[in-house]
Amino acid sequence: MDFESKWQNINASATQVFSFLNDLRNLEKLMPEQIIDYKAEVQKCSFTIKGMTSLSLKVDQAIEPKLIRLVPDGKSPFEFELMAHLRESEGTTQAKIQLQADLNPMLAMMAKRPLQNLVEIMADKLSAQSF
């Protein structure tokens, strides 16, 4: 399944936004309140989704200043990719968060709304950041 946020306008250069996103210590600022026990290094992070599961992510691909792709680092309840797409025009940047997940039909029914909310919250919080 594919979950995408709307494109958000950010008053910063794509390079600034890319640098922020490429340091996973900053990712905590974009997470919803259900995320607890957030721990991060520059290229890896781990956290718990309250009442659900723990996840670890790592940067798998970084194409400056256009794309950052995160994938699970270790055990995960399902395969997924979390991506930030960036495009710049005239000193501002547009960003979109995308989550592609390989979900079985049962899990897809339960997770559809929370995963769509996740990408929207992350994009909204990214657009509200000061760079």
Side-chain angles (χ1 to χ4, degrees), residues 40-86:
E41 300 171 14
V42 174
Q43 296 287 293
K44 292 183 179 185
C45 68
S46 64
F47 52 88
T48 300
I49 303 169
K50 201 184 308 181
M52 294 181 73
T53 189
S54 294
L55 292 174
S56 294
L57 300 175
K58 65 180 178 182
V59 174
D60 180 61
Q61 185 178 27
I63 302 171
E64 188 171 354
K66 297 180 182 206
L67 172 75
I68 295 176
R69 183 173 72 179
L70 307 178
V71 297
D73 185 31
K75 186 181 170 194
S76 172
F78 55 89
E79 290 297 314
F80 68 94
E81 298 178 337
L82 180 64
M83 293 166 280
H85 301 273
L86 305 173

Side-chain angles (χ1 to χ4, degrees), residues 20-131:
F20 175 85
L21 292 170
N22 200 37
D23 183 343
L24 297 188
R25 294 173 295 186
N26 293 323
L27 196 61
E28 182 177 19
K29 298 172 185 171
L30 307 182
M31 291 293 178
E33 61 187 30
Q34 297 89 337
I35 300 300
I36 57 173
D37 298 330
Y38 192 91
K39 296 175 183 69
E41 300 171 14
V42 174
Q43 296 287 293
K44 292 183 179 185
C45 68
S46 64
F47 52 88
T48 300
I49 303 169
K50 201 184 308 181
M52 294 181 73
T53 189
S54 294
L55 292 174
S56 294
L57 300 175
K58 65 180 178 182
V59 174
D60 180 61
Q61 185 178 27
I63 302 171
E64 188 171 354
K66 297 180 182 206
L67 172 75
I68 295 176
R69 183 173 72 179
L70 307 178
V71 297
D73 185 31
K75 186 181 170 194
S76 172
F78 55 89
E79 290 297 314
F80 68 94
E81 298 178 337
L82 180 64
M83 293 166 280
H85 301 273
L86 305 173
R87 60 186 184 198
E88 186 173 26
S89 68
E90 300 174 19
T92 64
T93 301
Q94 289 187 316
K96 173 175 76 170
I97 305 296
Q98 178 183 17
L99 179 76
Q100 292 180 332
D102 184 17
L103 303 172
N104 67 46
M106 180 69 165
L107 193 52
M109 282 186 358
M110 295 181 348
K112 185 175 183 176
R113 178 173 281 147
L115 292 176
Q116 184 62 45
N117 286 343
L118 172 67
V119 296
E120 294 292 347
I121 288 168
M122 291 181 73
D124 288 346
K125 287 187 173 188
L126 180 60
S127 71
Q129 289 297 309
S130 297
F131 294 93

